Amino acid sequence: MNRLLPILLLSALLAAPATARPQDEHAGEHRLVLTGVGRFAIFADMVSLERDGDGVKMRAFQVTESDFEIAGQAYWGGWSWWRFDCAARTADRLDFAAVKAGGAEGPATPDPAPAYEAVEGGDAAELLTAACDPASVGPYGVSALSEAVWVGREALANP
């Protein structure tokens, strides 16, 4: 994704007329940067970066187009921990934890799939770029999951 596109999209969305924005209980804990919009809106949490040599571990938040419901409970999307090898350009999604409307996080389910090549244009490559070159995403982002949900859903609705 063009490096300027997430910045321009976030700026335009934040300047857009106010619509109903969901609220959450974890406001201010993150710096969520939109890295891609496809089936989901994907955000890198730049506060979560953990470096280890050529490796980086980072959390990513994926937002669904609208709340999905399971057993009467609405969900916004989910968190995943990822591990990236910056030199080898590989990605390994370590787990997934659903996030309920309001921000409560469910238990994490491990993802046993092995690391794979982060192919240009895919979510993993865009997250790898953010993790391995944090300066590439700039200082912008949102600090609450509810804001990421709002920005992500606006981006999904206006591709």
Side-chain angles (χ1 to χ4, degrees):
M1 173 182 255
N2 180 313
R3 292 180 196 200
L4 229 32
L5 186 57
I7 295 167
L8 294 173
L9 180 60
L10 181 60
S11 297
L13 292 172
L14 292 176
T19 58
R21 297 182 189 193
Q23 298 298 310
D24 75 69
E25 57 201 48
H26 301 285
E29 296 179 12
H30 310 284
R31 186 163 79 84
L32 297 158
V33 176
L34 182 66
T35 59
V37 179
R39 183 173 169 209
F40 304 103
I42 307 294
F43 291 84
D45 188 1
M46 303 308 291
V47 173
S48 70
L49 291 174
E50 298 176 13
R51 292 207 166 275
D52 179 20
D54 285 336
V56 180
K57 191 174 170 188
M58 178 180 72
R59 275 187 111 188
F61 183 53
Q62 81 181 33
V63 176
T64 60
E65 192 171 0
S66 61
D67 285 355
F68 63 95
E69 195 171 302
I70 300 172
Q73 175 64 55
Y75 289 84
W76 286 343
W79 279 111
S80 289
W81 274 104
W82 289 76
R83 174 133 173 59
F84 302 99
D85 184 318
C86 299
R89 296 205 43 86
T90 59
D92 187 2
R93 183 175 174 169
L94 304 174
D95 64 7
F96 179 81
V99 173
K100 294 178 182 178
E105 185 177 330
T109 301
D111 183 338
Y116 58 93
E117 180 183 354
V119 179
E120 194 64 36
D123 293 337
E126 292 165 347
L127 287 169
L128 181 142
T129 297
C132 296
D133 184 13
S136 71
V137 299
Y140 305 102
V142 295
S143 61
L145 292 182
S146 58
E147 287 294 314
V149 170
W150 184 81
V151 169
R153 289 182 176 169
E154 288 290 316
L156 287 162
N158 301 295

